[in-house]
């Protein structure tokens, strides 16, 4: 039986590869699709909320059936928003207008997001509250946000992760963790850690008890990688982290890495270089945000618009829904 399954998988993979398309080969530093796991069938990937016109979706947060999307300003011409989408009906429930959001995080059911005020100062806001919960600054360049057990807020900020105590009210007393261009943050409940994806193609863990960091990515043996401009990161309740690599500077050659958080062993779950399936081209275009549902059944990945691959660009400013194997 096992041999039959392997033969079927190999046959199916060869058929899909023969369909052509794809991104013209793996970019430098990215895993090759030929050495990764079996190609995921087309039914596992679809465009999500096709009735919603996204501006430029970035980071996301999911609670229950509600997906919150930081939908960023496009070239300064259109005001951004926090879009709330029902994952069951795929309908847009609310759209709260904010300027240039990028990060979004949930504290219980409260929604926090990054935004810029009229003077160009950036802060972190609570939905429904017009004032920033942290000090506004023109030096803030916030990326991803993550809460740890509702007691600390971690915020990526260019060259550091800022830590805000959030028990009761926020205050301006912060811990500054110097890191190389942090982009996204997420909490691992099982291991009581916070993970940060960095611009130097690594992931680090942060211990909330003392905010000490540990580099998790290593090359020999390969652990938590290889990565290529890692952006979003999400952790399932069954012990896996999903890291979205943007690919090159244009957002071509993106892929999703599935990491066993206990061992660090990594596999490429799906990439934009393995082919295009059916009538809907499947590819990542400046992939940035990722969210996972409570049942560990679906991943949601946000696409931007800077990729140059013509086929994958058809997925620009879209959210892709991936059914996990």
């Amino acid at each position: 039986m096992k041999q039959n399954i392997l033969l079927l998988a190999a046959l199916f993979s060869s058929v899909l590869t023969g369909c052509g398309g794809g991104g013209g080969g793996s970019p430098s530093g990215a895993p090759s699709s030929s050495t990764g796991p079996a190609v995921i069938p087309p039914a596992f990937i679809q465009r999500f909320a096709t009735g919603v016109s996204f501006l430029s979706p970035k980071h996301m947060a999911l609670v229950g059936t509600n997906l919150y999307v930081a939908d960023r300003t496009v070239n300064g011409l259109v005001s951004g928003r926090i879009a709330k989408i029902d994952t069951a009906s795929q309908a847009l429930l609310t759209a709260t207008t904010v300027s240039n959001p990028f990060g979004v995080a949930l504290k219980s059911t409260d929604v926090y997001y990054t935004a810029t005020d009229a003077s160009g100062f950036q802060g972190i806001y609570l939905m429904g509250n017009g004032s920033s919960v942290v000090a506004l600054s023109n030096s803030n360049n916030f990326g991803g946000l993550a809460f740890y057990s509702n007691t600390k807020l971690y915020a990526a900020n260019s060259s550091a992760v800022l830590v805000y105590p959030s028990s009761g009210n926020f205050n301006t007393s912060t811990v500054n963790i110097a890191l190389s261009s942090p982009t996204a943050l997420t909490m691992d409940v099982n291991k009581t850690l916070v993970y940060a994806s960095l611009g130097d193609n690594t992931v680090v863990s942060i211990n909330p008890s003392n905010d000490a960091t540990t580099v998790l990515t290593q090359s020999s043996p390969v652990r938590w990688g290889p990565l290529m401009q890692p952006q979003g990161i999400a952790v399932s309740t069954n012990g896996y982290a999903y890291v979205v690599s943007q690919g090159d500077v244009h957002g071509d050659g993106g892929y999703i890495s599935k990491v066993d958080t206990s061992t660090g062993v990594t596999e490429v779950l799906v990439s934009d270089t393995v082919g295009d399936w059916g009538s809907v081209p499947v590819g990542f275009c400046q992939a940035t945000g990722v969210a996972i549902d409570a049942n560990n059944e679906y991943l949601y990945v946000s696409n931007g618009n800077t990729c140059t691959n013509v086929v994958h660009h058809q997925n620009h400013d879209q959210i892709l829904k991936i059914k996990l194997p």
Side-chain angles (χ1 to χ4, degrees):
M1 177 64 74
K2 183 176 181 181
Q3 289 179 330
N4 290 339
I5 291 173
L6 291 173
L7 287 171
L8 270 172
L11 177 61
F12 187 64
S13 177
S14 65
V15 170
L16 285 177
T17 304
C19 290
S26 298
S28 175
S32 168
S33 60
S34 62
T35 60
V39 175
I40 297 177
F44 279 47
I45 304 177
Q46 60 182 274
R47 287 179 177 172
F48 172 73
T50 54
V52 180
S53 295
F54 294 103
L55 307 175
S56 183
K58 298 302 180 186
H59 289 300
M60 302 179 290
L62 180 61
V63 58
T65 62
N66 295 324
L67 180 67
Y68 293 88
V69 183
D71 203 11
R72 201 170 196 189
T73 303
V74 179
N75 298 325
L77 301 177
V78 182
S79 182
R81 64 185 181 176
I82 301 297
K84 177 183 177 182
I85 301 169
D86 178 27
T87 56
S89 67
Q90 301 194 26
L92 178 66
L93 300 179
T94 60
T96 303
T97 300
V98 299
S99 177
N100 218 32
F102 195 88
V104 60
L106 298 168
K107 180 183 178 184
S108 298
T109 57
D110 290 334
V111 182
Y112 290 80
Y113 57 88
T114 64
T116 308
D117 72 358
S119 300
F121 287 17
Q122 197 177 47
I124 300 173
Y125 294 80
L126 168 64
M127 187 79 74
N129 183 350
S131 300
S132 174
V133 298
V134 303
L136 288 164
S137 173
N138 60 358
S139 65
N140 285 339
N141 186 22
F142 288 125
L145 303 174
F147 280 96
Y148 176 75
S149 298
N150 294 341
T151 61
K152 287 185 174 183
L153 172 63
Y154 291 82
N157 191 26
S158 296
S159 59
V161 169
L162 304 182
V163 187
Y164 297 90
S166 63
S167 52
N169 296 320
F170 288 89
N171 56 57
T172 56
S173 175
T174 65
V175 175
N176 186 313
I177 306 172
L179 291 169
S180 175
S181 302
T183 55
L185 296 151
T186 192
M187 179 179 70
D188 185 340
V189 177
N190 294 333
K191 296 190 176 301
T192 61
L193 293 171
V194 172
Y195 301 127
S197 58
L198 307 183
D200 62 359
N201 297 327
T202 63
V203 170
V204 301
S205 65
I206 303 172
N207 183 344
S209 66
N210 56 12
D211 293 319
T213 61
T214 301
V215 178
L216 300 176
T217 302
Q218 60 185 57
S219 58
S220 182
V222 176
R223 295 290 184 265
W224 284 82
L227 304 170
M228 192 172 182
Q229 293 200 61
Q231 300 293 317
I233 181 169
V235 178
S236 67
T237 57
N238 59 354
Y240 293 96
Y242 296 88
V243 185
V244 174
S245 283
Q246 175 180 295
D248 65 19
V249 293
H250 301 293
D252 291 306
Y255 53 96
I256 298 175
S257 301
K258 178 182 178 182
V259 185
D260 185 322
T261 57
S262 294
T263 63
V265 172
T266 306
E267 63 177 342
V268 177
L269 183 65
V270 65
S271 77
D272 71 5
T273 60
V274 296
D276 304 308
W277 299 299
S279 59
V280 179
V282 175
F284 298 118
C285 180
Q286 193 194 2
T288 303
V290 62
I292 188 169
D293 69 354
N295 296 322
N296 305 317
E297 187 176 5
Y298 292 102
L299 280 183
Y300 299 85
V301 180
S302 62
N303 272 356
N305 51 47
T306 62
C307 64
T308 60
N309 181 287
V310 175
V311 174
H312 301 148
H313 197 270
Q314 296 178 64
N315 279 338
H316 73 89
D317 301 324
Q318 298 279 343
I319 293 174
L320 300 180
K321 180 179 180 181
I322 301 172
K323 190 177 192 310
L324 295 174

